[in-house]
Amino acid sequence: MNIVGEKIILRAIEAKDCDILREMMNDPETEYLLGGWSFPVSKEEQQNWFESQHNNKNILRVMMDAGENTIGTAILSDIDYKNGIAQIHVKLHGSENQHKGYGTETIMTLSNYAFHELRLHCVYAEVSQHNIPSQKLFRKCGFEQEGVLRDRLFKKGKYINVIVFSKLGEPDA
């Protein structure tokens, strides 16, 4: 089953996506804007990662398609069905896909899926303090800033804060 928005389709990751995923992992600008860290990823390592993925019920990884183009990836991670929470992540591939509403639609579509299909109550995001476009994006999608995690990331030789955003789903009447 695909998760369908107006301009995007969120679909399962396939072997054909390994190249775009590797490009995104190896892009220094993407790595700088996002949390965490990674070593350079080879084609073989990416293929091994893909083959190691199981049907993990606590992580939903999807690719973002706009028409015939794959434009990025989105994830619901750390899904906690008992407490009804999950973290959301969105990565667009290439600057040509920015400022077209794809990020907004992906966050709204995946959040709605989390609330109405997975019965989650809270979706949250952690955004590095220097990633102003992502902060604006989550606010635009109705996420509220909850707080600041001080000095949580080490990027380009210094520690930076992480801003936590969340959105609560409304219970169905």
Side-chain angles (χ1 to χ4, degrees), residues 1 3 56-61 75-87 109-123 172:
M1 175 196 90
I3 304 168
N56 184 339
K57 302 264 188 261
N58 296 344
I59 299 176
L60 170 63
R61 289 184 169 97
I75 303 169
L76 285 178
S77 69
D78 302 319
I79 301 172
D80 178 341
Y81 293 99
K82 180 185 183 302
N83 294 303
I85 60 174
Q87 184 173 1
T109 301
L110 195 53
S111 295
N112 286 334
Y113 179 80
F115 297 139
H116 299 289
E117 296 297 326
L118 301 181
R119 297 187 210 169
L120 300 182
H121 179 64
C122 176
V123 174
D172 291 334

Side-chain angles (χ1 to χ4, degrees), residues 94-118:
S95 59
E96 69 277 4
N97 293 314
Q98 296 175 357
H99 309 294
K100 294 184 177 180
Y102 297 139
T104 302
E105 185 170 340
T106 298
I107 291 170
M108 297 300 289
T109 301
L110 195 53
S111 295
N112 286 334
Y113 179 80
F115 297 139
H116 299 289
E117 296 297 326
L118 301 181

